[in-house]
Amino acid sequence: MAIKKPNNPFLLGGYYGRTHFCDREKELAVVLDNFENGRNTVLYGRRRLGKTVLIQHFMAELEAAKKAETIYIDLLATRDADEAVRQLTMAVHAKFEKTTGGISSSFLKLLGSVGSI
């Protein structure tokens, strides 16, 4: 996950990495505990409370600890299942196309065909 550089010391949106993550340590611990124990988790709350940033930080922590490979997809703007599948396919491709281990060309062909089914 690429981390942006903040232009403003008063961060209002986006994830800027560990150094700029604050005040959600208790919630992060709950989400990590739920993950490690195989529990489903639902985050809910009013807009602009930091739910997305909490998820992105959680994913960065998993990646840093090498506990999981993560992919973040925002499906809010998708209009149907086909578009959601396309978003998922593009995110998986973007995540794994540049890895040192890479993924096989047959898997890339499979990903390419998923959106056209």
Side-chain angles (χ1 to χ4, degrees):
M1 171 183 302
I3 298 177
K4 301 186 274 185
K5 299 274 187 214
N7 295 325
N8 181 342
F10 305 103
L11 306 176
L12 298 175
Y15 179 63
Y16 296 94
R18 289 179 175 173
T19 56
H20 298 285
F21 182 78
C22 63
D23 297 335
R24 301 304 291 269
E25 299 301 329
K26 201 164 51 171
E27 292 87 349
L28 179 63
V30 169
V31 173
L32 283 169
D33 184 59
N34 288 352
F35 172 79
E36 289 171 352
N37 289 293
R39 296 184 207 118
N40 294 330
T41 304
V42 174
L43 296 178
Y44 63 94
R46 294 188 312 268
R47 294 183 73 241
R48 314 234 1 121
L49 292 178
K51 298 178 296 294
T52 300
V53 173
L54 177 62
I55 292 167
Q56 291 171 332
H57 185 66
F58 163 71
M59 291 170 56
E61 292 292 305
L62 290 179
E63 295 263 351
K66 301 199 183 311
K67 292 183 179 182
E69 293 282 340
T70 64
I71 299 172
Y72 178 80
I73 305 167
D74 185 355
L75 297 175
L76 183 64
T78 58
R79 289 172 272 166
D80 54 30
D82 289 340
E83 198 170 322
V85 169
R86 260 186 245 102
Q87 289 286 340
L88 176 60
T89 303
M90 289 178 1
V92 169
H93 184 268
K95 171 75 175 194
F96 294 108
E97 75 174 335
K98 297 173 187 157
T99 61
T100 54
I103 53 179
S104 70
S105 61
S106 59
F107 185 65
L108 285 175
K109 286 178 189 173
L110 172 68
L111 287 178
S113 68
V114 169
S116 61
I117 291 177

